[in-house]
Amino acid sequence: MPVTIQILVDADACPVKDEIYKVAWRHEVAVKVVSNSRLRVPDHPLIERIVVSDGFDAADDWIAEAASATSVVITADILLADRALKAGATVLAPTGKPFTAASIGPAIATRAIMADLRAGMGEGLGGPPPFSKADRSQFLQALDTALVRLKRAG
């Protein structure tokens, strides 16, 4: 019996939803678009919109509970990435950068340091660099590679 692979999207601020749909359709993989508010999603049998409460981390909690070894989780949230990795999921940032067991610890530490710096210096530190075409291209390749790997493992 084939393994059921799914893509779980932390959708509220995800800049690559259209790319996710295209890759999912090509691979015939289900996508669950999880958000705190109603987002527009394509009317397609593989795409499911999940609207959770607006409670703190409600979308993260839903995704973490649904994540498994046959899931690809798309998120920029480092703490959600950690939870999804612990559930056995493959985790990608919207830039295509994979979160791994080896990289998540340093990412959490960096996040904590940056939060402390922002608290001490105000918001003058800026945020991540603007999302680029190269990020989008890298994401498409990373998602395709992750799905191929999961299909082969199944």
Side-chain angles (χ1 to χ4, degrees):
M1 183 164 177
V3 174
T4 303
I5 298 169
Q6 65 179 348
I7 301 171
L8 303 172
V9 184
D10 184 8
D12 283 317
C14 180
V16 290
K17 289 187 282 290
D18 289 339
E19 289 78 4
I20 293 167
Y21 306 145
K22 290 175 188 171
V23 174
W25 291 329
R26 188 170 62 241
H27 285 277
E28 298 181 341
V29 171
V31 178
K32 297 189 184 332
V33 181
V34 185
S35 64
N36 296 105
S37 59
R38 186 173 168 84
L39 297 176
R40 192 177 316 201
V41 300
D43 184 17
H44 191 281
L46 287 174
I47 311 297
E48 181 180 356
R49 175 186 18 233
I50 309 289
V51 180
V52 297
S53 76
D54 60 356
F56 185 72
D57 280 347
D60 293 0
D61 291 343
W62 194 99
I63 292 168
E65 290 173 22
S68 71
T70 59
S71 303
V72 177
V73 173
I74 311 300
T75 186
D77 183 318
I78 293 167
L79 298 181
L80 173 56
D82 182 46
R83 293 170 67 188
L85 284 169
K86 288 176 180 168
T90 299
V91 185
L92 297 174
T95 59
K97 177 184 166 213
F99 288 102
T100 65
S103 71
I104 198 68
I108 291 170
T110 300
R111 178 186 179 277
I113 290 167
M114 294 306 291
D116 287 347
L117 287 173
R118 277 191 297 277
M121 299 178 70
E123 295 297 319
L125 293 176
F131 196 76
S132 70
K133 286 183 180 180
D135 291 331
R136 197 171 304 280
S137 177
Q138 185 174 336
F139 174 78
L140 283 165
Q141 184 175 355
L143 180 56
D144 190 74
T145 300
L147 292 174
V148 167
R149 188 173 57 249
L150 282 175
K151 284 181 172 183
R152 286 185 182 152

